Amino acid sequence: MEQVKLASYEKLEEENRELKTVLRKLSHEMGNALTLLGASIFYVETDIATANGKCDVSDLKNDYTYICNLFKELREYNHTESLAKKEVTVGELVSSIESAFSKMAGNEKVFLVTHRQDNAGNKKIYADLLKLRQALINILKNCIDAIAENEDNKGKRIDVSVLIEPITIDATMDKKITHAKEMVHIEIRDNGKGICEAHISEIFQPMFTYGKKDGTGLGLSVVRKIVEDHKGKIEAVSVLGTGTAIHIYLPILK
């Protein structure tokens, strides 16, 4: 019986590897096709404008942008496991997203307020800083969108709280963090439109979108995979009309 279970498991593993290979090849071919399509749109717009002085390919450009975003997130979703981990301080992680925030907010005039527990910045995690930073930036982008869509919103702000707490997650699968006793709890809270209770448990699932016309449904699932590949945990709490809080828990190096 045990041999049958082992054989079934090995077959599933083989099928999973084959699927990932197919997705990588598909992503590569899609990337090549999109590069050619983008160049074609540019030349078509230029040629038509030169011929009659008027050209409107905005719908075509919007469709192209959507496909590019879908491709980008599909590629990220398929490559989250290839992490280049090293020792990183919590302070480095928080500073990296603070520096990127001003470029993301654009004209929305959203303010980022960071609250750090004393000595939290000196604590170390075992992480791929670029991937983890991108995950947090994806969350911040969603917060900005939610705030922009909340017409009743007066004070547009995102609060990032960084706390050190006793560990309550399983961090035993990585030798670098085995027997970790503490975790960093990063809470990212917006005062946007919020998410209804019926959908809050689905927002980290692939291909699920909520309230975004151009959403691909892969952004937050990529975030979840990155956090889980760091042996962490992610949760969401939301109230309609009030805002959403994303909670991320990561083990601290012992």
Side-chain angles (χ1 to χ4, degrees), residues 48-63:
I48 295 177
T50 301
N52 56 30
K54 185 178 180 180
C55 178
D56 184 4
V57 293
S58 57
D59 288 341
L60 185 59
K61 283 184 174 180
N62 289 338
D63 290 340

Side-chain angles (χ1 to χ4, degrees), residues 41 54 61 109 130 132 158 182 184 249:
I41 292 173
K54 185 178 180 180
K61 283 184 174 180
K109 296 182 180 179
L130 291 178
L132 203 50
I158 299 172
E182 293 181 314
V184 57
Y249 305 89

Side-chain angles (χ1 to χ4, degrees), residues 38 59 111 118 123 143 147 157-158 161 166 183 187 203 224:
D59 288 341
F111 297 95
D118 290 344
K123 297 289 185 176
C143 291
I147 290 172
R157 61 182 283 170
I158 299 172
S161 300
M183 63 183 180
E187 177 191 30
I203 64 171
R224 177 181 59 80

Side-chain angles (χ1 to χ4, degrees), residues 168-233:
T168 58
I169 56 177
D170 182 7
T172 61
M173 296 177 65
D174 195 316
K175 291 181 180 179
K176 286 279 187 178
I177 53 178
T178 299
H179 308 309
K181 295 181 180 180
E182 293 181 314
M183 63 183 180
V184 57
H185 174 191
I186 302 174
E187 177 191 30
I188 302 177
R189 180 182 295 273
D190 66 57
N191 57 352
K193 63 178 184 176
I195 302 170
C196 68
E197 186 177 354
H199 294 307
I200 194 66
S201 63
E202 302 177 277
I203 64 171
F204 297 114
Q205 298 302 315
M207 308 313 294
F208 177 81
T209 60
Y210 181 80
K212 293 180 68 175
K213 295 180 180 179
D214 58 348
T216 63
L218 285 173
L220 286 179
S221 62
V222 170
V223 171
R224 177 181 59 80
K225 281 177 64 67
I226 291 175
V227 171
E228 290 180 352
D229 285 342
H230 282 82
K231 313 308 175 189
K233 181 181 178 181

